[in-house]
């Protein structure tokens, strides 16, 4: 084997330099806030559309005919709990506690999976009942929202 050596007095090239990031000014969270505000705008538009189309049943079923409020309450609870646990994960991340951050993210993921499971069940049930987006303006707005 032929070994390559640097000439005397030469230094090895630097391929990686660690940079410190400033967290004190909150600049690293600007992307999070932009996402949150854009989400608020999208949902405001969707809720406005639902407000306009919400009573257009076209002789089809209404929300009272279709939805089980207990299931809606469970789903809302899962969504709110996932928001809380994600907040806990953010707090732990700021303290640089990797294990507890990952634990809170796992709990958040479980709540999210529960929410998605109930939503998929609810959509499958509505489609099975014939309550599809094509049936009425109300259902079209509901499925979009």
């Amino acid at each position: 084997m032929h070994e390559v050596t640097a000439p005397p007095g030469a230094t090895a090239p630097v391929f990686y330099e660690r940079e410190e990031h400033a967290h004190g000014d909150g600049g690293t969270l600007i992307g999070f806030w932009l996402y949150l505000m854009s989400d608020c705008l999208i949902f405001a538009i969707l809720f406005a559309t639902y407000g306009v189309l919400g009573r257009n049943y076209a002789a089809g079923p209404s929300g009272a005919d279709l939805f089980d409020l207990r299931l809606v309450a469970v789903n809302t609870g899962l969504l709110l709990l996932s928001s809380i646990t994600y907040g806990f994960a953010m707090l732990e991340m700021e303290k640089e506690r990797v294990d507890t951050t990952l634990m809170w993210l796992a709990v958040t993921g479980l709540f999210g999976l529960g929410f998605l499971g109930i939503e998929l069940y609810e959509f499958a049930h509505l489609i099975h009942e014939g309550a599809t987006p094509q049936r009425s303006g109300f259902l079209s707005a509901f499925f979009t929202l």
Side-chain angles (χ1 to χ4, degrees):
M1 286 241 155
H2 179 36
E3 186 175 322
V4 177
T5 58
T11 59
V14 177
F15 293 105
Y16 173 77
E17 291 183 19
R18 182 175 175 91
E19 293 182 24
E20 295 298 322
H21 297 281
H23 295 286
D25 64 346
T28 57
L29 294 178
I30 190 72
F32 170 75
W33 287 109
L34 286 173
Y35 162 75
L36 195 60
M37 292 300 107
S38 67
D39 230 23
C40 287
L41 287 173
I42 289 170
F43 274 98
I45 291 167
L46 290 174
F47 277 117
T49 303
Y50 181 79
V52 171
L53 298 176
R55 300 270 184 221
N56 295 328
Y57 303 125
S62 69
D65 300 327
L66 294 173
F67 305 122
D68 178 10
L69 290 183
R70 293 175 303 221
L71 197 58
V72 170
V74 169
N75 228 9
T76 302
L78 288 172
L79 194 59
L80 290 173
L81 286 171
S82 71
S83 296
I84 291 169
T85 57
Y86 186 77
F88 291 156
M90 291 283 288
L91 292 172
E92 293 299 316
M93 182 189 70
E94 287 291 322
K95 296 175 186 174
E96 298 182 6
R97 297 179 184 163
V98 175
D99 291 339
T100 51
T101 301
L102 293 175
M103 185 268 307
W104 282 117
L105 288 175
V107 171
T108 303
L110 289 175
F111 284 136
L113 286 174
F115 174 82
L116 288 175
I118 291 173
E119 281 298 308
L120 291 173
Y121 166 79
E122 190 176 43
F123 288 150
H125 177 72
L126 289 174
I127 291 169
H128 177 73
E129 295 288 321
T132 61
Q134 298 86 358
R135 180 91 187 252
S136 67
F138 159 69
L139 287 168
S140 196
F142 171 76
F143 274 88
T144 301
L145 187 59

